Amino acid sequence: MYGIIDCDNCYVSCERVFRPDLKDKPVVVLSNNDGCVVARSNEAKKMGIKAGTPFYQLEELFPNNKIAVFSSNYELYGELTGRVVDIIRKEAPAYFRYSIDECFVYFDGMESHGLKLWGENLHKKIKQYVGMPVSVGIAPNKTLAKVASYFAKKYEGYHHCCMIDTDEKRINALKLYPIEEVWGIGRRYAARLQKFGVKTAYDFASHHGDWVKATFNNIVIYRTWAELNGKDCIPNEEIAKKKSICTSRSFNGMITDFADLRTHVANYAARCAEKLRQQDTVASVVGVFINTNQFREDLPQYWNFQEKRLITPSNSTITIVQAATEVLESIYTQGYRYKKAGVIVMGFGPNSPIQQDLFDINAEQFEKLKRLDEVVDRINRTNGTETIVLGSQQYTRKDGKGKADVFANAIKHDFRSKNPTTRWSDIIELT
């Protein structure tokens, strides 16, 4: 049996941990640069606030409504969900983290008749220890576990844990489960299935496997169909590790200056390097893309992407940033107003052992970069992210007298909450 633990309305729930006054009130979290709504509380959903609603339209669309608004605070979300995973690790026989708000668990060696109670107790413990509400889905495979978590989240009668352990429960659940919600289907395939009259997961599961193969010629879709029919056929290793890491953002406004663009790319590359170290892998390819604002038809348009292969695979911030900067230099074209950039690292391998190249950095330099990253990561974990950064990561701006000063972050986040669990400056004071 498998289980999946999913944090309910993750970003909103994180914000509410230190704001109990927001319980039962509409809350939304905005995207980078406070652009649009990316997370909503149940109360906000009932009001009719849609994901993707531009922030500037909220007051116009929902006048006379008190809506709590927060900028994205990934430092807070990562720290609190990390605490949730720590509890899961202690309570489950085996687990792996699937995303920031989801974690799969395996129940090898545990009797199935006690798993429902296990899930209910896990919800209570996480709620008590961290303050985060979670939903638990349990089933014979990962896809059905995702289906079960949907019902655990949607219906209070399940007491935050739904278990699909019989064929009758499986069929009843699939008949009520929209095809667009099925894990592994995606919006494009859901639209295609709906044209064939497939409205629910049960409609899809009822088709013959040969029809699925002939219609889609896609191993992922076929495995999803097989799992909906009760088989366990999605290998763990295919979802346990990412095949690439991408960090990208739209800018607050548009950028023409290369130096400003380079600083953004350096920050994205540094974040990719940090993620590589977190999953104990190295990358052999660093790619960069830049593009203009496609919605501004009055402006000239430009898009480009190129990549650089590293002689020695690395997760060093200095190495990844340097490679990304070199790629940016090759694709940057003057005269355009850029709206978005991103860095992608690919070609993953284990962090050790690493085969070094005769013409690349020597072993001593390699160890120095490794120790430097370890020290910087430790300081940033203790004192807050971006306490220490590379010089190329620092943004500059002009003051009123035309002089340049340095500041750490050019991202707009006017409604960002504090980080009382990771920064001494934000620690809660009781009076």
Side-chain angles (χ1 to χ4, degrees):
M1 296 290 281
Y2 294 86
I4 186 167
I5 295 89
D6 185 4
C7 296
D8 299 342
N9 301 324
C10 181
Y11 293 174
V12 168
S13 296
C14 287
E15 299 291 353
R16 280 176 164 170
V17 168
F18 299 103
R19 290 289 305 275
D21 58 303
L22 295 178
K23 182 181 179 181
D24 300 326
K25 295 182 180 179
V27 181
V28 299
V29 176
L30 305 176
S31 62
N32 292 311
N33 289 314
D34 294 344
C36 59
V37 174
V38 294
R40 304 156 293 158
S41 66
N42 291 333
E43 296 77 16
K45 294 175 183 178
K46 290 178 181 178
M47 287 175 55
I49 299 177
K50 305 293 185 182
T53 302
F55 168 60
Y56 69 87
Q57 291 183 1
L58 281 182
E59 187 173 351
E60 176 186 344
L61 295 174
F62 304 95
N64 304 319
N65 285 281
K66 293 183 178 180
I67 304 171
V69 178
F70 292 92
S71 302
S72 296
N73 187 347
Y74 299 113
E75 182 178 341
L76 175 67
Y77 309 153
E79 204 279 331
L80 290 180
T81 55
R83 295 187 179 203
V84 172
V85 174
D86 284 341
I87 295 175
I88 294 171
R89 182 174 63 246
K90 296 174 183 177
E91 297 294 324
Y95 83 101
F96 70 85
R97 191 170 185 173
Y98 177 60
S99 67
I100 189 172
D101 62 343
E102 293 176 297
C103 190
F104 278 105
V105 296
Y106 310 116
F107 297 110
D108 291 341
M110 292 181 65
E111 296 293 334
S112 61
H113 67 267
L115 294 181
K116 177 69 165 65
L117 181 60
W118 178 91
E120 293 179 7
N121 290 336
L122 180 67
H123 163 84
K124 293 176 183 177
K125 188 168 187 176
I126 293 174
K127 182 66 174 172
Q128 179 184 359
Y129 284 30
V130 185
M132 292 280 290
V134 300
S135 296
V136 183
I138 301 173
N141 60 52
K142 304 176 192 68
T143 302
L144 289 177
K146 293 277 285 186
V147 174
S149 71
Y150 171 87
F151 291 101
K153 191 187 299 283
K154 195 174 181 67
Y155 299 102
E156 294 183 0
Y158 286 109
H159 303 290
H160 308 283
C161 178
C162 175
M163 182 171 171
I164 298 175
D165 57 347
T166 66
D167 207 45
E168 181 182 3
K169 290 181 181 179
R170 178 185 67 84
I171 293 173
N172 290 337
L174 296 187
K175 287 181 177 179
L176 297 173
Y177 198 67
I179 187 62
E180 62 269 19
E181 296 288 341
V182 175
W183 184 48
I185 292 296
R187 185 180 303 174
R188 182 165 61 92
Y189 284 114
R192 189 174 173 187
L193 281 165
Q194 288 170 350
K195 291 181 180 179
F196 290 106
V198 176
K199 304 297 183 182
T200 67
Y202 180 75
D203 295 335
F204 180 49
S206 298
H207 275 282
H208 196 279
D210 292 340
W211 178 87
V212 177
K213 290 180 180 179
T215 304
F216 296 97
N217 191 29
N218 185 302
I219 186 62
V220 174
I221 299 297
Y222 181 78
R223 285 174 176 172
T224 298
W225 170 85
E227 292 225 329
L228 290 175
N229 281 285
K231 298 179 180 179
D232 179 16
C233 57
I234 296 180
N236 298 332
E237 61 271 13
E238 290 198 9
I239 57 178
K241 284 192 176 181
K242 298 179 180 179
K243 295 181 174 64
S244 65
I245 293 174
C246 176
T247 301
S248 65
R249 287 173 182 163
S250 296
F251 307 135
N252 181 22
M254 289 181 281
I255 293 176
T256 58
D257 184 65
F258 174 78
D260 290 341
L261 195 60
R262 180 180 57 193
T263 305
H264 282 282
V265 167
N267 276 279
Y268 305 158
R271 181 60 181 144
C272 287
E274 183 183 354
K275 290 181 179 179
L276 284 170
R277 294 193 293 273
Q278 288 174 352
Q279 67 175 34
D280 202 27
T281 57
V282 292
S284 58
V285 179
V286 179
V288 176
F289 69 84
I290 53 175
N291 60 263
T292 53
N293 191 341
Q294 60 179 325
F295 299 105
R296 289 291 303 272
E297 297 180 356
D298 57 316
L299 298 175
Q301 299 294 312
Y302 177 77
W303 180 92
N304 204 344
F305 168 83
Q306 285 187 23
E307 59 189 41
K308 174 182 174 66
R309 182 167 292 277
L310 302 178
I311 297 176
T312 300
S314 177
N315 57 21
S316 163
T317 296
I318 291 177
T319 302
I320 301 295
V321 169
Q322 183 177 9
T325 301
E326 292 175 3
V327 175
L328 177 64
E329 290 174 346
S330 67
I331 64 176
Y332 171 79
T333 301
Q334 196 171 7
Y336 292 97
R337 303 176 70 178
Y338 296 97
K339 182 61 179 176
K340 187 175 183 179
V343 175
I344 305 173
V345 291
M346 300 166 283
F348 292 175
N351 191 22
S352 180
I354 299 174
Q355 180 64 47
Q356 293 179 259
D357 191 275
L358 176 64
F359 302 101
D360 200 15
I361 60 174
N362 58 42
E364 183 179 356
Q365 291 174 311
F366 184 85
E367 287 301 318
K368 282 184 178 180
L369 290 175
K370 184 177 180 179
R371 290 197 300 270
L372 177 62
D373 286 323
E374 290 174 351
V375 171
V376 171
D377 288 344
R378 184 167 62 249
I379 293 174
N380 286 340
R381 281 195 301 269
T382 304
N383 298 279
T385 58
E386 297 183 346
T387 298
I388 294 182
V389 298
L390 299 180
S392 59
Q393 291 180 249
Q394 293 183 308
Y395 297 91
T396 58
R397 62 185 174 191
K398 299 293 184 179
D399 60 14
K401 299 179 181 179
K403 295 182 179 180
D405 65 332
V406 176
F407 62 113
N409 202 324
I411 299 172
K412 183 179 180 182
H413 43 67
D414 295 340
F415 310 99
R416 187 173 181 175
S417 55
K418 293 185 176 182
N419 298 281
T421 60
T422 55
R423 295 177 182 260
W424 286 109
S425 59
D426 292 347
I427 196 166
I428 296 174
E429 296 182 4
L430 300 179
T431 56

